[in-house]
Amino acid sequence: IALLGIDSRADDYGLGNRSDCMIIASINQETKAVKLISVYRGTYVYVTENGTKRLDKITHAYSYGGAQNTLKSLNEALDLNITEFVTVNFDAVIAVDSLGGVYIDLDSSEIKYINDYIDATSQSSGIKSSHITSTGRQRLDGVQAVAYSRIRYTAGGDYKRTERMRTVVEAMLSKAKTLGVGQLNSFADTILPRIRTNISSSEIWGLVPKLASFKVTESIGWPYETQGITLDRWYGVPVTLQSNVERLHKEAFEQEDHEASDTVNEMS
């Protein structure tokens, strides 16, 4: 399943509604193991605009054709066959409030920036929150969790930010596992109106009782190796796309003999 966090603010290209966060959630239905794979938004691959492929940041695929166009870019660049998606505006993570908050470890470098993001998120969402002044394990409300996931100016930059996004998803799953079915149903009632997805309602409600058995076993950022280049803007070029794809299939999907497709090799 592709989890797409949508940012409706225009970027430097004048594009809005880009996919600012892309997380692939791979769920093993037998073992209930969940693997979270962030695809860095600046990754330089083919995207399709008005029927024409061109090299661009993968984040722009959503601007050019929505969730299905993003799936097309992800599938072609990573040799995958993702068919299901969930899109959510960052403010919708405020639904974490219906879980009673989540627990996150904060360090001093994050405290330096989080409160500005708390103020911005409160303003955009209309939901009040409070500043955080202490490091260590903290219970974050929805606004604070959104603010935490938006931090990007510490060591690691945008790569670290994607890790924080996965941390929030993991924390939400961990908290959900402690709730009863009635509480989970209440959470689903809160979050479902805030998302767009091609997964049927019956499938979603069928997953609710199984949440307690799910466990995140791997959390990674992709590509593993990149080289930044500056053309008209900065881009993250996989080095090489072929080797990054083959390593992903080997390490994340246990496909030892996977060979990159012709599409990936051409793009590489």
Side-chain angles (χ1 to χ4, degrees):
I1 304 172
L3 309 177
L4 309 176
I6 306 306
D7 189 343
S8 59
R9 298 168 300 170
D11 64 7
D12 292 339
Y13 295 79
L15 296 172
N17 290 328
R18 63 190 186 276
S19 185
D20 215 31
C21 165
M22 290 161 281
I23 300 177
I24 300 167
S26 176
I27 304 171
N28 187 312
Q29 297 288 354
E30 294 182 1
T31 66
K32 301 300 186 291
V34 179
K35 297 181 180 181
L36 300 178
I37 304 158
S38 292
V39 178
Y40 300 129
R41 63 179 184 169
T43 304
Y44 195 52
V45 294
Y46 281 139
V47 299
T48 301
E49 180 184 8
N50 297 324
T52 301
K53 286 185 181 180
R54 64 185 182 87
L55 289 166
D56 199 350
K57 294 184 178 184
I58 197 168
T59 184
H60 292 152
Y62 194 94
S63 302
Y64 301 146
Q68 292 293 352
N69 198 45
T70 303
L71 292 190
K72 176 180 173 63
S73 291
L74 288 170
N75 287 333
E76 289 181 350
L78 279 72
D79 270 354
L80 296 175
N81 185 30
I82 307 167
T83 58
E84 298 175 325
F85 68 85
V86 175
T87 65
V88 59
N89 186 283
F90 280 119
D91 288 346
V93 182
I94 293 169
V96 75
D97 285 336
S98 65
L99 291 174
V102 293
Y103 288 90
I104 302 286
D105 288 313
L106 298 175
D107 63 34
S108 57
S109 68
E110 293 165 335
I111 294 292
K112 180 180 179 181
Y113 297 103
I114 192 170
N115 291 320
D116 286 341
Y117 284 114
I118 288 173
D119 292 341
T121 304
S122 288
Q123 183 177 7
S124 64
S125 67
I127 298 176
K128 293 182 178 180
S129 186
S130 57
H131 283 187
I132 298 172
T133 57
S134 300
T135 59
R137 190 168 178 80
Q138 307 284 333
R139 188 186 74 83
L140 305 187
D141 62 26
V143 169
Q144 292 166 338
V146 172
Y148 170 79
S149 71
R150 294 175 66 183
I151 298 171
R152 59 181 295 190
Y153 296 111
T154 61
D158 204 48
Y159 295 156
K160 182 65 178 179
R161 185 179 73 139
T162 64
E163 182 181 322
R164 292 188 183 97
M165 293 173 182
R166 298 195 303 275
T167 297
V168 171
V169 172
E170 287 187 62
M172 292 178 69
L173 179 57
S174 294
K175 190 62 181 291
K177 291 168 68 172
T178 69
L179 304 181
V181 174
Q183 292 170 302
L184 287 174
N185 287 337
S186 177
F187 170 68
D189 285 338
T190 300
I191 192 67
L192 288 179
R194 295 171 177 260
I195 68 173
R196 290 184 57 249
T197 181
N198 62 350
I199 305 174
S200 69
S201 296
S202 60
E203 286 182 276
I204 293 173
W205 286 109
L207 284 173
V208 170
K210 301 177 182 178
L211 283 177
S213 61
F214 289 159
K215 182 179 181 180
V216 176
T217 59
E218 194 165 358
S219 175
I220 65 173
W222 189 93
Y224 300 99
E225 303 290 340
T226 61
Q227 175 66 53
I229 62 169
T230 300
L231 302 175
D232 57 331
R233 295 292 190 275
W234 184 93
Y235 299 88
V237 180
V239 181
T240 63
L241 179 61
Q242 176 186 350
S243 61
N244 274 283
V245 166
E246 291 179 349
R247 179 178 170 186
L248 176 70
H249 281 260
K250 179 179 179 179
E251 296 184 3
F253 302 117
E254 299 174 4
Q255 298 173 335
E256 296 287 339
D257 299 326
H258 181 82
E259 295 183 0
S261 66
D262 290 343
T263 299
V264 167
N265 286 331
E266 176 191 353
M267 207 183 312
S268 188

